Amino acid sequence: MIVKLIASDIDGTLLLGDEREISDKVITYINKLYGRGVVFAAASGRQYSNLRNLFGPVKDKIAYICENGALIKYNDKIIKKTPLDRKLGEELLNDIYKVNGCEFLLSGEDTSYIMPKSATYKEHIENYVGNKVQVIEKYEDVKEDFIKISVYCESGIEKHAKYFYDKWKDKVKTTVSGKCWLDFVAPNVDKGMALAVLKEYFGADYEETMCFGDNFNDIEMFDESYYSYAISTSHKDIRAKAKFITSNVESILFDVEMMYEWQK
């Protein structure tokens, strides 16, 4: 068993339940594996600065698949960025804004933009999600590319998912990314595409790649990894797509580290 590249989803995968911080053990394993030439990649719908803050002690030693694959960075440099068409993005934002109970989150490279209907939405994005946020009055206020657009529904996205999926599935990539979230990125963009880019960048073959996920926006990564793991609490359709099941990422990182230790 030789592993060169490990990609992991964050929420519901590396962070379980109500966990908000990466454990010291996981940080230690990532650091040790880095010393052995193994690259760890954070693969998330989160923004870049959010992920860097989360991985503090090893933030300069890992790769980043941000915004569900629309932005890939390593050593603070962009490896690949795939923005949405701006006109199409504005039409989508208008559609989200008019639906009662839904808020939008527009992602730039390092800033999230919102036009909050609820007084608590900005606080939620800043303090719970942990994003850098700017409130806008019109889309023209955003001077950068539209990287990703998300729908947030506090009561759960299931109520509105079909409406948005049916209307936009032929124009953008549409994926449920959490209980309250539905994400839109450019066509053909997903975490699997991003992992394929990183495999080529770091010279890792399919047999040398490992990934972890728990939601529908993680499934494409399974196709790019020989060692594909679904979290045991994930939906049965997600578990069915993975080769292996685990209750947590930490134990598998330990196994990979021990494998290298035994090969000394």
Side-chain angles (χ1 to χ4, degrees):
M1 179 185 185
I2 298 176
V3 178
K4 289 184 179 180
L5 176 60
I6 301 173
S8 178
D9 172 56
I10 305 303
D11 299 289
T13 302
L14 199 57
L15 296 179
L16 297 172
D18 295 327
E19 291 177 342
R20 302 287 299 278
E21 297 180 354
I22 306 297
S23 73
D24 291 340
K25 284 186 178 180
V26 168
I27 294 296
T28 297
Y29 295 146
I30 291 173
N31 201 38
K32 285 184 176 181
L33 289 169
Y34 173 82
R36 300 185 188 280
V38 181
V39 178
F40 182 89
S44 176
R46 296 190 187 209
Q47 68 177 194
Y48 177 61
S49 60
N50 180 306
L51 290 170
R52 280 183 62 83
N53 290 337
L54 194 62
F55 284 89
V58 291
K59 64 184 179 183
D60 294 320
K61 296 180 177 180
I62 69 173
Y64 296 90
I65 295 173
C66 314
E67 311 291 3
N68 283 340
L71 180 66
I72 310 167
K73 300 189 77 169
Y74 183 65
N75 281 340
D76 210 28
K77 295 180 180 178
I78 295 175
I79 297 175
K80 186 177 180 66
K81 180 172 73 169
T82 313
L84 286 155
D85 175 82
R86 189 172 183 111
K87 184 176 183 298
L88 184 66
E90 291 182 0
E91 292 174 2
L92 175 54
L93 290 169
N94 280 327
D95 192 30
I96 296 169
Y97 195 76
K98 73 182 183 183
V99 177
N100 289 334
C102 291
E103 300 271 8
F104 74 68
L105 185 70
L106 169 60
S107 298
E109 187 177 323
D110 203 35
T111 302
S112 295
Y113 301 92
I114 60 174
M115 293 171 58
K117 304 175 189 177
S118 164
T120 60
Y121 182 54
K122 181 174 184 290
E123 181 182 356
H124 176 76
I125 299 301
E126 282 184 323
N127 299 331
Y128 184 80
V129 178
N131 280 14
K132 177 183 175 183
V133 180
Q134 180 178 330
V135 176
I136 59 173
E137 295 182 357
K138 55 186 183 301
Y139 308 137
E140 290 77 13
D141 294 339
V142 180
K143 304 302 182 184
E144 59 175 318
D145 288 332
F146 290 9
I147 303 296
K148 186 186 73 177
I149 293 172
S150 302
V151 184
Y152 173 76
C153 181
E154 186 177 6
S155 62
I157 196 60
E158 185 176 355
K159 177 181 177 181
H160 300 289
K162 187 178 187 304
Y163 165 78
F164 287 113
Y165 180 78
D166 288 347
K167 185 170 182 177
W168 294 97
K169 64 181 179 180
D170 295 328
K171 299 177 181 179
V172 293
K173 182 66 179 288
T174 307
T175 314
V176 173
S177 60
K179 180 182 177 182
C180 300
W181 293 97
L182 185 68
D183 292 343
F184 306 93
V185 290
N188 302 316
V189 169
D190 54 55
K191 291 182 184 181
M193 176 278 292
L195 184 54
V197 170
L198 287 183
K199 283 163 61 180
E200 181 177 0
Y201 187 85
F202 291 111
D205 294 333
Y206 171 78
E207 294 82 4
E208 299 168 327
T209 304
M210 177 180 287
C211 73
F212 301 88
D214 81 307
N215 218 319
F216 291 97
N217 62 337
D218 300 315
I219 288 175
E220 288 87 355
M221 289 199 299
F222 296 166
D223 295 331
E224 296 292 335
S225 312
Y226 178 80
Y227 302 101
S228 58
Y229 286 85
I231 298 301
S232 56
T233 54
S234 60
H235 191 281
K236 62 181 177 62
D237 292 346
I238 296 162
R239 298 197 306 271
K241 294 287 187 178
K243 286 191 179 71
F244 308 101
I245 307 296
T246 184
S247 61
N248 62 82
V249 176
E250 182 180 303
S251 62
I252 308 302
L253 294 181
F254 172 79
D255 289 344
V256 177
E257 166 58 21
M258 286 300 98
M259 175 201 67
Y260 277 96
E261 186 67 24
W262 294 333
Q263 289 178 352
K264 278 184 175 181

